[in-house]
Amino acid sequence: SSSTTTTIDDNFANNIAYNTAEIGCFELNSQTVFIRNAWPVVVLWYGALILFLLATSNGRFARAHVARVLCRGRRWCGYSSSNERRVEAVLVREGYERRRRLQQRASGGGGGGAGRD
């Protein structure tokens, strides 16, 4: 029994010595630590930005500004400012009135108003 106890104690001491020889300090690269800690903040920040752009009136103005800058001078974009829409409406109305007056003159109607062709 005494030899068994000595053998167990020796094995235990040998195992501890063997295991402690391989124990070292746990180190992480600072870049790895930064990435692990920063990504939740980045995701939260982008989520808040998207919420701001979609759910607030200032976000609506920001979306309109980006669309105006990206689509400046492009008809295919489908975006035009309120001033451009007003000018377009006036030009269409003037063209319609001019054609109507020309048709009245051609048919001999006279029109009865001061025209400004």
Side-chain angles (χ1 to χ4, degrees), residues 64-114:
H65 174 72
V66 169
R68 191 170 36 252
V69 168
L70 292 178
C71 297
R72 183 173 293 156
R74 296 184 181 106
R75 286 282 192 207
W76 56 267
C77 209
Y79 179 82
S80 60
S81 69
S82 61
N83 190 39
E84 290 172 350
R85 288 190 298 265
R86 287 183 197 138
V87 168
E88 187 71 28
V90 167
L91 291 175
V92 167
R93 188 176 55 231
E94 290 287 327
Y96 173 75
E97 289 295 322
R98 186 172 289 131
R99 281 191 305 274
R100 187 180 60 82
R101 279 184 259 140
L102 288 174
Q103 287 175 351
Q104 284 180 349
R105 285 185 192 153
S107 65

Side-chain angles (χ1 to χ4, degrees), residues 40-54:
V41 175
V42 171
V43 169
L44 182 67
W45 190 84
Y46 277 113
L49 182 64
I50 289 171
L51 184 67
F52 166 78
L53 288 173
L54 295 178

Side-chain angles (χ1 to χ4, degrees), residues 24-45:
C25 291
F26 181 73
E27 289 186 39
L28 279 178
N29 186 353
S30 62
Q31 185 178 9
T32 304
V33 171
F34 176 76
I35 291 171
R36 283 186 181 177
N37 293 329
W39 75 265
V41 175
V42 171
V43 169
L44 182 67
W45 190 84

